[in-house]
Amino acid sequence: MPLHMMLKKKHLSAGRVPLILFLCQLISALDVPLDLVQPPTITQQSPKDYIIDPRENIVIQCEAKGKPPPSFSWTRNGTHFDIDKDPLVTMKPGSGTLVINIMSEGKAETYEGVYQCTARNERGAAISNNIVVRPSRSPLWTKERLEPIVLRNGQSLVLPCRPPIGLPPAIIFWMDNSFQRLPQSERVSQGLNGDLYFSNVLPEDTREDYICYARFNHTQTIQQKQPISLKVISVDELNDTIAANLSDTELYGAKSSKERPPTFLTPEGNESHKEELRGNVLSLECIAEGLPTPIIYWIKEDGTLPVNRTFYRNFRKTLQIIRVSEADSGNYQCIAKNTLGAVHHTISVTVKAAPYWIVAPQNLVLSPGENGTLICRANGNPKPRISWLTNGVPIEIALDDPSRKIDGDTIIFSNVQESSSAVYQCNASNKYGYLLANAFVNVLAEPPRILTSANTLYQVISNRPALLDCAFFGSPMPTIEWFKGTKGGALHEDIYVLHDNGTLEIPVAQKDSTGTYTCVAWNKLGMAKNEVHLEIKDPTRIIKQPEYAVVQRGSKVSFECKVKHDHTLIPTIMWLKDNGELPNDERFSTDKDHLVVSDVKDDDGGTYTCTANTTLDSASASAVLRVVAPPPTPAPIYDVPNPPFDLELTNQLDKSVQLTWTPGDDNNSPITKFIIEYEDAMHEAGLWRHQAEVSGTQTTAQLKLSPYVNYSFRVMAENSIGRSMPSEASEQYLTKAAEPDQNPTAVEGLGTEPDNLVITWKPLNGFQSNGPGLQYKVSWRQKDGDDEWTSVVVANVSKYIVSGTPTFVPYLIKVQALNDVGFAPEPAAVMGHSGEDLPMVAPGNVRVNVVNSTLAEVHWDPVPPKSVRGHLQGYRIYYWKAQSSSKRNRRHIEKKILTFQGSKTHGMLPGLQPYSHYALNVRVVNGKGEGPASTDRGFHTPEGVPSAPSSLKIVNPTLDSLTLEWDPPSHPNGILTEYILKYQPINSTHELGPLVDLKIPANKTRWTLKNLNFSTRYKFYLYAQTSVGSGSQITEEAITTVDEAGILPPDVGAGKGKEEWRKEIVNGSRSFFGLKGLMPGTAYKVRVGAEGDSGFVSSEDVFETGPAMASRQVDIATQGWFIGLMCAVALLILILLIVCFIRRNKGGKYPVKEKEDAHADPEIQPMKEDDGTFGEYSDAEDHKPLKKGSRTPSDRTVKKEDSDDSLVDYGEGVNGQFNEDGSFIGQYSGKKEKEPAEGNESSEAPSPVNAMNSFV
C-alpha cells in the first residue's frame, strides 16, 4: 500500500488561516523525513542551456538530499570529469556544485561542454539534466564603409542592420547620435530582423545619424553600427545642372515617387512557411511599401484568430499568438492595402512540440511486501520516445530486479523488499528536446509518527472554521482518528470533516467546541498520538458606529465608535480618513471611543473609518463628513413658486395620456419650467419618479406610458430661486398589460464551487414587468459541446444554481423574461464558466538570470492551461534572502512577493542586496487561489560598488602634515579591497592644483600625509573600492597651519563669566538686526525684547560663532576711495596738460614732464598700458569669488558650508544679485565699502605677510 505523508507546517491561528492553505497539502510533493534512510533527490541544478559570463567564475549547480548524505560525481561530454586533475575546478563541501575559477587564469571557452551530475548513496543514484555550458558572446560589428543614401520623396527604403551573431542574441534598436530612439510609425518601423523599413520616405527623414545598436544583456554591453546618412530630395528642387549630371540609376532605388499600390518588403513572394514550438510565442511579420502608406490586416484562412492570445505589434505589422498550440497550425494571410490597391501574402504555420508531461513519475514509498507503480507519460510532436534508467544506467543493462516489470511508460512493482530501493529516471525525448525526471522507490517499515508539535494551541473566532493539524508519517500508511477530551468515541464526519492529510475541520466552531483534541495514528507496527488545544473567542463588533454628518465650515464635529470584544483579546482602535492616516493637525483629537475635529475646514470632508483590530480578527465602520458653507440670508422679497393645482387627465389611451394643470403664484420670479413626476401605486407605492419637463409657459403635457402601471402624477414649478413643493396627486390611471419588452441585464455565470455554475442577473422591476406573473426562463449549455440547451423557468428571483458541472468549463447562458401575456424578445447568449478549483501544477523549469548586483530576471515555463482550472490571473514569485540555520533560528525569514499579471513567463526582481544569496519559488494564481510552489531556486547577487565612507575628518594639522580619519562605508556591498585617496592644493586664486592619488589598504581608517606645503589649503577625495569598482566619494578641505603655536581653541564659555549685557535700540518696524564685532568660536546669549502698552516681553536664545577663517585680503585697487583719488589725479593731470598746451601755443613754456620726473610720487603711478590697471594693485588674483565648496570649518569635519561674507556686506543683500553659477554680481559695485564685521579684515594694503598672518 503506498505511503501517504504530509508536510509539517508552522502553527498559524486558525481564525486567520483560510481553508485553502490546508487543502493545498493534498497535492504537495511526497517527502520523507531526512532522519530516515532514503535514496538521493536532486533539489537544485543549473538550467539545461546554461549561458555564463566569461568575466566571472563558472558555477554549475548540483544540490541533492538523501540519507545517508549522497556523494557527487560529474561527467563532461559523456565521459568522467576528474576534478582533482584540474586545479581551477573545485566542488563545494557537502554539495555537488562545481566552481571553476577562471578569473585568476584560464578561459571560459576551455570549459564549454555538456555536464551531468550524479548524486549517489547506498539506496540509489539520481542524475541531473544534461547542462550545456556556453560562454556568452558580444562580438563587434565588422568594419564597413557606408555610402550616403539619396532618395526621391516617396520612394521606399530598407536600412539594413545585420547585427553580429552573439550569445544570447542581441536586442536591436535604432537611435541617433544623441542616444534618442528614432520615432516609428505605420510608415517607418523596425522589423523582427532589426532592419529599419520605410514604406515611403519624406523630407523630414533626412538625417546623417541613423544608427543601429545591439544590446547584449548577458554581458551588459552595447555595440554600435556605423551611422547611415540619408538625404530625401524632390525632383523639383534639382536645378538644371544637377539634373543634367545625375541619372536615375545614380539615385538610390530609382523608383518612381508617384502614388502606387502596396508591395511587400518582407516577406518575399506570395507564400512562406513558419515553424514554431508549442508554448512559445508565434510572431508573423508583414511589412509593405507603397504610397499612400499601406495598412496591414491579418486573417486566418481556415479559422478564427484565438481570442485573448492574439496581439498586434509594430503598428499591426506583426501578429503574435502567445502560448501557441497545435491547434494554431494553419494558413495565416496578411493583407496590405491603400487607396490604390491591395496585396496578399500567405504564411503556412506548423506547430511542433518538445516533450511535455502528461503524468510525471513521482517518488514511491512502500513497505516490504507492498505493490506500486511508476508512471511516466509525456506528449509532443513528434511523439516522444520514453526510456527508463535505474540509478543512472539504462534499465536494459541494469541488474535484474524480480519485483520490477516494465510495461511501456509504466513500471509495475510487486512484493517489494528493501533491496528494491532505487532511483529511476524517465527520459522523454524527440528532435526538439527532452524531459528527465528522477523518482525513487524507497522500501521502509516505520511505525507511525506525528509531526505536528505537541500541545499546540489554536484560537478561533466563533462561527468560523477551525482546522486542527495532525501531520503524520508511517509505513504502511497509518490510520488517523480524532478524539475530544478524555472520554468518548472517535469523531465522525457527520459534524466534522476529516481530511486525508490528517487535518480535522470543524466547519462552524462554537463555544462548546473549546477543549482538548487528540490525534491518534496507528498501523501494524505501532501507534502514536498528539494533543492539541482549541479556544473559541467572541468576535470583535462595533456596537456604536460613527454616523453621517453635515456640518458648517468652522464648527466642530464628533464621531463615536464603541467596540465590544472578547475579554481575553485587547483591541487596537485606529481612525482613518479616506483610507489613509489622519492629518497631522492638532484639530484632530481621539480618545477611547471618539474622534473630534475642531474648526472644520473644507478639506476635512471625506470618509472617516473606525477600525478595531485584535490578534484574531478585526471590525470596521465608516461615516461620511460633508462640509457646507453657512447658509446665506434669503432675499426677503423673492421666493420659490407656489405649487401648481387642479391637475386633470384627458385623452386617456393605452400608451399615452394628456395632463393639464394650473400654475401657482411665481412669487416675483418667473417660472422657468415645470417638472412632472409619477407614482406606480401597484409596484412602487410612495416612490415618485421623474416623468418629463416642459417650459414654464406650458400648462399641458402629452405623456408616454408603459403597460401595466397604475399611474398618479404630480407637478412642481421652478424659478431662479428654486423648486416649489409638489402639487396634489392627480387621479390614478391603470394601463393594460403586455409582454415584457426587455430582458434582465448583467447576466453572469460564475461557479462558487468546482462542481457548480451560479447564473445571476439583475431582475426587472415591477415597472419593467409590463404585466402580472413575471418569471424568467434560464437556459444553458456547454460552449464547446454539441449538447442541446437545458432550460428551466424560475420565479421572480435573481439567481439559479446548476449543480454537477465539470470544473471550469465555458457555458453559454441566456435569461429571458416572461409574464402571463407572453415572452420578451429572444436574449443574446453570454458566456460564463463553472466553478474554479486550485491549480494542480507548479511552474516548471524556473531559471534565474542575475542581471546585476540589485536586479535579477526570473523565467519559468507556463503551466498547462488545463491544469490552471480557472481564470489565469498570473504568476506569483516568493523570494527571500537565504540565511544559515543558526540565523533562521534567531530571526524569521521575511519573504517578499511579486505578482505578474496574465500569462507572463518572466519577471524582474528589483531592489536586491548585492553580494547576497537569495532563494525563490514560483506559483500560478487563478481566481480560487495559488497552486503549488515550484522547487526553491537559489541564486547569488554579485558584488557591487560600495557606498561612500560614512565620515571623513582632518585632525592634527601641522606645518607640513595633515591626518585623515574616516569610517568605513555603511554598505560595502562586497569585500573592500582598498581605499583611494586623491588630494590637490587650492592656491590663493582658489584654483585647483595637480591631483595626487594614493591607494590605502582596506583595513586602514586613518592616514597621515606628510611633506605638505605650509599654510596651504588642500581638497581631499576619498572613496572605497571592491573588485567591481569604486563607490561614491566623500570630500573635505583643510589647511596646513602657519605656526602650530598660533592655533587657539575657540572660546565657548558663554554664560560662565559675568560679562555685562550690551544693548542696541532697534526701530520697531524692523524684523532683523546684524551683530558686529563678535569673536570667532565664541558662544553668545542674545535677548530680544519688545516694549508696548502691555508691558515688556522678551525672548532669549544661545548661538555660537563659527571658527576663525583666513581673512580675505583687501585689494586697494578695488577700494572706492582709491579709485576716486586716482580719477581726481588723472583729471588734474589732464587739466595741466591742456593749460600747458594752451600756453605753448601762445609762446609760453611749462616743463610738466621735467617736473613730474623730478617730483614723482611713489604712491601715485600712471596706469599700465598693457593691462589697464593702476600700478601694482590688481583684483585679478586676490578677489576672485570663492569656488563652491572651498570653505570648511576649522575643526575639519564635514558640515554645512559657512561663509564669512554676508549679503549685508554686499549692498544690504537686497540689491545683490547672483549669476546662474552662484557667483555674486556687484561684489565690487561700490555700493558699500566692505566692513570688517568679524575683525579679520586688515586696514592695510594687502601683502603676502598680512595674508598669511590672517589665519587664526
Side-chain angles (χ1 to χ4, degrees), residues 138 217 359 400 609 717 792 812 907 938 1237:
S138 52
N217 285 342
V359 178
D400 189 30
T609 303
V792 63
L812 294 178

Side-chain angles (χ1 to χ4, degrees), residues 581-636:
E581 295 184 356
L582 291 177
N584 186 16
D585 193 330
E586 60 184 7
R587 297 182 299 107
F588 292 80
S589 60
T590 60
D591 56 19
K592 180 180 179 182
D593 299 325
H594 292 82
L595 166 66
V596 179
V597 184
S598 303
D599 188 19
V600 174
K601 302 181 182 302
D602 290 336
D603 293 341
D604 297 336
T607 302
Y608 290 82
T609 303
C610 164
T611 302
N613 294 306
T614 69
T615 56
L616 296 180
D617 66 343
S618 64
S620 63
S622 300
V624 174
L625 172 63
R626 182 180 168 211
V627 181
V628 297
T633 304

Side-chain angles (χ1 to χ4, degrees), residues 276-282 309 321-326 328 351-354 356 860-863 865 903 905:
E276 191 56 79
L277 290 182
R278 178 182 185 271
N280 290 351
V281 177
L282 173 65
R309 293 192 295 118
I321 301 177
I322 62 174
R323 303 189 306 277
V324 68
S325 65
E326 291 85 343
D328 296 317
V351 178
K352 300 292 186 179
Y356 56 93
W860 59 89
D861 288 347
V863 300
S903 58
T905 58

